Amino acid sequence: MSSLQPPPLPASTIRAQRKVHASGRFMINGQFIKLGPRHAGKIVTVIIEDTHYRILHGEDELAVRPRKNLEPVTRLYVKGMGTQKDRQGPLDDKPSRKS
């Protein structure tokens, strides 16, 4: 028996990326979403819909949570240690000195 795959998302779908904290939670639009510690460290994609969030990791849907704050989401991409390429240069560069 094969499971049905969800239909593809429309091109205009708003998505945000978040990194799941060690506690198993992340924040989007001022709302904490708990997935559990087994998902710690994963970068998840949040599909922002009118009344709820769909949380995906790759092709797998991990959860669907209701939106408590219906204001527009303004931050769509993950920032922080371990989420993007190092933009400050190699570690062997000497730090600048203040006079």
Side-chain angles (χ1 to χ4, degrees):
M1 176 184 252
S2 63
S3 62
L4 295 175
Q5 293 294 325
L9 297 168
S12 63
T13 302
I14 299 174
R15 303 170 187 224
Q17 292 181 335
R18 296 292 185 269
K19 184 173 182 181
V20 181
H21 188 265
S23 66
R25 300 183 334 162
F26 67 91
M27 181 182 278
I28 185 161
N29 207 24
Q31 177 179 339
F32 279 105
I33 306 248
K34 184 166 178 80
L35 293 178
R38 70 176 174 258
H39 299 292
K42 292 181 181 178
I43 295 181
V44 295
T45 302
V46 182
I47 308 299
I48 302 159
E49 298 186 0
D50 291 338
T51 59
H52 59 279
Y53 299 113
R54 289 178 37 209
I55 297 98
L56 307 173
H57 183 256
E59 297 292 322
D60 299 328
E61 185 173 281
L62 301 178
V64 176
R65 300 287 191 265
R67 284 182 68 176
K68 295 177 183 174
N69 183 355
L70 298 178
E71 294 177 7
V73 176
T74 57
R75 296 180 185 177
L76 299 178
Y77 297 100
V78 179
K79 291 184 179 180
M81 185 175 215
T83 59
Q84 294 180 353
K85 291 183 180 181
D86 184 40
R87 296 181 180 188
Q88 295 181 3
L91 295 175
D92 59 349
D93 286 347
K94 293 181 182 178
S96 63
R97 301 176 106 191
K98 292 185 178 180
S99 304

